[in-house]
Amino acid sequence: MPHFIAEYTDNIEQQADLPGLFEKVHASLGDSGVFPLGGIRSRGVRLDTWRMADGKHDYAFVHMTLKVGHGRDLATRQQVAERLFAVITQHFDELQAQRLLALSFEMIELHEQLNFKQNNVHAFLNAQVG
């Protein structure tokens, strides 16, 4: 964990450069020292059916969520979230200067007992180092 999810309107698919965003997100989260690299995942969810505001203009939005496992204090989570939102806003600066674009981001801490995982990627990455 963490999982980064970007829900985006279909009218910005080409301009949003989600692979570039995901690269920056992984670098930021990996460099934070808070999360193991093997647990970081990103995905984009294209929204084909949506409406924004009055529906009269070429609006667009990206809503992003970072789901993290339980156990980090609020100060740590806030620091990571603020740093990541700075990465996000910088990534979209140029596009937002060109069009109507709303960005939103939230971090969600998953419930300690109701979050189940099985992952062999950590062991694989550790073996690559040795």
Side-chain angles (χ1 to χ4, degrees), residues 3-45:
H3 292 200
F4 181 77
I5 304 156
E7 299 172 90
Y8 63 95
T9 56
D10 58 350
N11 60 341
I12 59 167
E13 184 168 33
Q14 299 304 313
Q15 299 82 20
D17 184 21
L18 290 182
L21 174 63
F22 295 163
E23 184 176 343
K24 295 170 191 171
V25 165
H26 283 237
S28 179
L29 294 174
D31 292 347
S32 73
V34 177
F35 306 104
L37 181 61
I40 302 171
R41 298 182 185 104
S42 292
R43 57 189 172 271
V45 179

Side-chain angles (χ1 to χ4, degrees), residues 59-110:
Y59 301 114
F61 69 84
V62 184
H63 175 70
M64 292 147 284
T65 305
L66 183 68
K67 295 183 179 186
V68 300
H70 177 77
R72 295 163 187 93
D73 61 51
L74 177 60
T76 300
R77 292 191 320 264
Q78 184 171 359
Q79 182 181 26
V80 168
E82 289 174 354
R83 182 177 172 187
L84 193 55
F85 192 61
V87 168
I88 290 165
T89 55
Q90 183 178 23
H91 176 82
F92 286 106
D93 273 349
E94 186 177 326
L95 184 57
Q96 199 164 40
Q98 298 170 6
R99 63 168 305 122
L100 295 166
L101 175 62
L103 302 173
S104 56
F105 169 69
E106 65 180 328
M107 179 187 280
I108 298 171
E109 182 181 45
L110 300 174

Side-chain angles (χ1 to χ4, degrees), residues 35-55:
F35 306 104
L37 181 61
I40 302 171
R41 298 182 185 104
S42 292
R43 57 189 172 271
V45 179
R46 177 185 154 131
L47 304 173
D48 294 317
T49 306
W50 56 276
R51 182 181 171 100
M52 185 173 172
D54 59 12

